[in-house]
Amino acid sequence: MEERQDDKIFSEASQVELKIYDCLKQVLDPEVGLNIIDMGLVYTIQYKPDTGIHIDMTLTSKGCPLGGSIQSEIERVIQANFPDVPLDVQIVWEPKWTIQFISAEGRKQLGQ
Amino acid sequence: MFLQSNTSGTPLSLIAAHFFCGFISILIAGVLLLITGPDLAGHYFQPHLLAITHLVVLGWITTIIFGVSYQLIPVLANKKLYSLGLAKATLALLTAGTAIMSFSFFNFRLDALAFTGGFLVLVSFLCYTFNIYKTWGAGEEQSEAKDFVFISLLWLCITAVFGVVLLFNLRLAFLSISHLEMLKLHAHFGCVGWLLFLVMGIASKLLPMFMLSEGYNKKLLKFSLYSMNAGLLILIGLIVNGSSAWLFLPAVILCAGIVSYLLFVKQVLKRRVRKILDEGLRKSRLAFVLLFAPVIAGLWLAANKNENASLNQQVTVFYGFSFLFGFVTLLVMAQTFKTLPFLVWSKYYAASQAQHRLLPKDLYSENLMKIQFILFMLSYVVFIAALASGLPLAFKAGAIMFLASVVFYGINLSRLLLIHNGRAPGR
């Protein structure tokens, strides 16, 4: 991971969260080909030294069957970068995902 | 984003078997077109055309729709397919029934063999309907897609029952209504009631999902559903009462429903976030454009009844051809490479996305797909020219191009199903 210039501004926990955010940009939605951060699928990234990493994310729809593979890819990427930190990934349905959640960068990649 | 084998619980092998049977059917249909192509210039009620039509509708389109729906319906219903055994039995019955029926039609053998084929197809439809009903029917969630699918299942069973009755009538002539008029009903039940409704229902869910589109008007779908059903019911009433002079009325109502649906598709396209479309979506969009051809031909036929028998005959064949070989075949070919790569990817590569650096779109060749579609569109245009001119050579040329397109489709399909057998390329 690239070292950030702002490592003196953020707390250690926040820096870990920023690194996790960067890691999750490697995980793609296989249909769209866009990473899950720009797709707007990740709602919360939380790191606490005593409990580990907690991620709240959603899927584009409840029936979305790629959830399992996205979740295991998240686990693989996070564990590669934070091997000894416990990880908890929760799929949540509130708020319901809409295309409004796609980032400006994501829209650009999709040709908008 | 959308399709994966392990959630629906439907094994890839079952779905691949449907694609394999579908491919063999369209390949045989292509060969038959090459051998008997000039027959298309004649009347539509003839053995070779009946055989090719049933091979395409049942063996190619319906078989692949069944296979894809075993993946999609459980995803939409958010639960596993009710019975895999029933799905396997359905495929066996449908394949055997289609083969027997097409053979019988081709040789114009309307004996016990043809009835056996028809009966097997009917039983396969009943098995399929039961399986889908048990998978999705009990869910509380209502949607336009679900309405379209369940109405299509109703029309599917009506089509099959009616088809078997027609077979008996060909032999025993017990119905008072003209056989050709009854054939019109059978064809419209199958093409509009079954194929079009199912395609519209599934596409009403898939297109917005694949294109990342929101804010479209769902009332267009409702209007389409009611209007097309009303059109079919009026068509039945008019033909049963022998009032063929009024056929323009159901034709207009049916076409209004189709146009309403096309407006929905236009809205989905216009409001999509995913501006760059892949080959599969581009060809699907083109397929919906091609749907205008049978719509215009149908309206023309309804308005010009009996004025020019020869021209009517040509336009009637074009009407059926442009629907089955134009719109539906193009859509099936395009959607093959939207759905199947996901199943293969999910089975072999999903667990190690980063390790293999492969996405579903990498599992088939876009170049082969482009060649296939160029050949397909050329064959479509040449066939239309052949229908207009009646030149046997033009039919042969169209059939050769169509067959070549099918072969390229088969190569890409084999590449997808046989080469990607769990090993990353280069290993």
Side-chain angles (χ1 to χ4, degrees):
Chain A
M1 286 287 106
E2 223 174 275
E3 275 302 312
R4 287 178 179 269
Q5 298 292 319
D6 42 16
D7 58 352
K8 291 197 175 97
I9 302 171
F10 293 106
S11 66
E12 189 196 338
S14 299
Q15 283 180 47
V16 172
E17 286 165 359
L18 283 170
K19 279 187 181 176
I20 295 166
Y21 180 85
D22 284 341
C23 288
L24 293 182
K25 284 199 165 188
Q26 296 170 37
V27 180
L28 299 180
D29 178 314
E31 156 57 15
V32 184
L34 204 62
N35 69 68
I36 57 170
I37 293 288
D38 284 322
M39 274 292 286
L41 296 176
V42 178
Y43 289 166
T44 315
I45 299 170
Q46 216 171 43
Y47 169 72
K48 286 181 186 166
D50 48 340
T51 53
I53 299 165
H54 175 86
I55 296 170
D56 279 335
M57 65 167 293
T58 193
L59 300 169
T60 52
S61 67
K62 276 195 178 174
C64 177
L66 289 181
S69 78
I70 291 177
Q71 215 167 340
S72 50
E73 184 60 7
I74 290 173
E75 283 164 13
R76 197 196 62 76
V77 167
I78 298 293
Q79 275 162 11
N81 288 278
F82 304 95
D84 302 320
V85 184
L87 172 67
D88 172 36
V89 181
Q90 290 290 323
I91 304 285
V92 296
W93 301 110
E94 286 296 329
K96 190 183 170 204
W97 183 87
T98 79
I99 58 171
Q100 307 303 325
F101 293 0
I102 300 173
S103 71
E105 176 56 30
R107 284 166 188 268
K108 205 172 146 190
Q109 284 182 43
L110 293 168
Q112 210 179 31
Chain B
M1 184 178 78
F2 197 69
L3 307 164
Q4 189 180 11
S5 184
N6 61 9
T7 302
S8 72
T10 311
L12 173 63
S13 57
L14 176 67
I15 296 160
H18 284 79
F19 275 91
F20 177 75
C21 291
F23 168 67
I24 296 296
S25 295
I26 195 68
L27 192 66
I28 296 171
V31 172
L32 293 181
L33 267 180
L34 185 62
I35 298 167
T36 66
D39 290 1
L40 287 176
H43 196 275
Y44 58 87
F45 187 67
Q46 50 163 301
H48 294 165
L49 207 51
L50 281 179
I52 293 172
T53 304
H54 282 84
L55 199 55
V56 168
V57 172
L58 299 173
W60 161 239
I61 300 167
T62 298
T63 302
I64 288 190
I65 285 179
F66 278 10
V68 171
S69 68
Y70 291 142
Q71 173 61 30
L72 289 178
I73 301 290
V75 168
L76 296 176
N78 207 9
K79 62 181 189 187
K80 288 187 189 303
L81 184 69
Y82 172 68
S83 167
L84 287 176
L86 202 55
K88 287 176 191 166
T90 302
L91 177 63
L93 289 165
L94 178 61
T95 305
T98 304
I100 292 171
M101 215 157 66
S102 300
F103 175 81
S104 303
F105 281 140
F106 195 80
N107 297 295
F108 210 56
R109 278 181 56 180
L110 302 172
D111 51 14
L113 195 66
F115 299 131
T116 307
F119 183 72
L120 291 178
V121 170
L122 172 62
V123 175
S124 79
F125 285 1
L126 293 173
C127 291
Y128 174 77
T129 301
F130 181 72
N131 213 357
I132 298 300
Y133 174 76
K134 293 295 278 183
T135 305
W136 203 12
E140 286 175 15
E141 191 193 352
Q142 287 300 314
S143 68
E144 290 77 14
K146 194 172 177 178
D147 293 342
F148 268 107
V149 169
F150 278 94
I151 287 176
S152 80
L153 291 178
L154 184 65
W155 284 114
L156 175 72
C157 295
I158 292 172
T159 308
V161 171
F162 204 72
V164 172
V165 170
L166 277 183
L167 264 177
F168 276 102
N169 190 53
L170 265 177
R171 185 96 177 162
L172 306 170
F174 60 90
L175 293 171
S176 57
I177 304 162
S178 147
H179 192 82
L180 287 180
E181 293 296 299
M182 301 292 273
L183 197 64
K184 274 183 199 164
L185 281 182
H186 177 60
H188 283 88
F189 291 168
C191 290
V192 179
W194 157 236
L195 290 180
L196 204 49
F197 278 177
L198 191 97
V199 164
M200 285 174 159
I202 299 282
S204 72
K205 272 277 184 193
L206 287 194
L207 288 179
M209 275 182 166
F210 282 143
M211 296 194 183
L212 298 174
S213 184
E214 273 181 3
Y216 40 83
N217 185 359
K218 286 190 176 178
K219 283 181 183 165
L220 290 169
L221 289 176
K222 279 198 174 23
F223 176 80
S224 178
L225 185 69
Y226 295 136
S227 171
M228 289 170 69
N229 275 299
L232 281 177
L233 293 174
I234 294 170
L235 184 70
I236 296 172
L238 290 177
I239 287 186
V240 169
N241 286 307
S243 317
S244 295
W246 290 89
L247 281 183
F248 196 67
L249 180 67
V252 168
I253 296 173
L254 268 173
C255 291
I258 295 172
V259 169
S260 175
Y261 188 85
L262 291 173
L263 287 173
F264 160 79
V265 174
K266 191 183 166 203
Q267 273 195 358
V268 169
L269 280 162
K270 203 174 168 187
R271 292 165 190 260
R272 74 186 193 273
V273 171
R274 196 178 186 181
K275 294 293 178 194
I276 303 167
L277 299 180
D278 56 32
E279 274 300 298
L281 286 177
R282 277 202 291 270
K283 299 308 181 258
S284 302
R285 181 177 57 182
L286 178 62
F288 280 105
V289 174
L290 291 188
L291 186 53
F292 278 108
V295 166
I296 293 165
L299 284 173
W300 189 93
L301 282 169
N304 289 279
K305 207 173 178 309
N306 296 331
E307 281 177 16
N308 181 338
S310 166
L311 187 60
N312 265 13
Q313 205 164 286
Q314 282 171 307
V315 179
T316 303
V317 176
F318 171 73
Y319 177 53
F321 173 83
S322 60
F323 181 78
L324 294 176
F325 282 87
F327 166 64
V328 190
T329 294
L330 181 57
L331 195 62
V332 168
M333 284 180 162
Q335 285 299 314
T336 296
F337 298 106
K338 281 303 297 174
T339 52
L340 209 48
F342 269 91
L343 307 182
V344 176
W345 183 86
S346 300
K347 181 163 182 180
Y348 297 121
Y349 301 106
S352 51
Q353 203 186 108
Q355 187 190 343
H356 295 312
R357 285 284 164 209
L358 276 176
L359 288 178
K361 68 178 176 59
D362 302 319
L363 302 183
Y364 63 94
S365 162
E366 283 216 342
N367 286 335
L368 277 180
M369 203 172 165
K370 279 177 187 162
I371 298 168
Q372 176 211 328
F373 282 109
I374 290 168
L375 285 164
F376 175 84
M377 286 313 295
L378 280 174
S379 76
Y380 181 76
V381 172
V382 172
F383 263 124
I384 293 170
L387 283 173
S389 66
L391 282 175
L393 195 66
F395 282 109
K396 294 275 181 199
I400 288 170
M401 281 182 244
F402 181 74
L403 204 51
S405 165
V406 171
V407 169
F408 275 98
Y409 172 83
I411 293 169
N412 224 354
L413 196 65
S414 311
R415 184 188 150 99
L416 183 62
L417 291 174
L418 302 177
I419 295 176
H420 291 286
N421 56 358
R423 289 169 300 170
R427 292 195 165 209

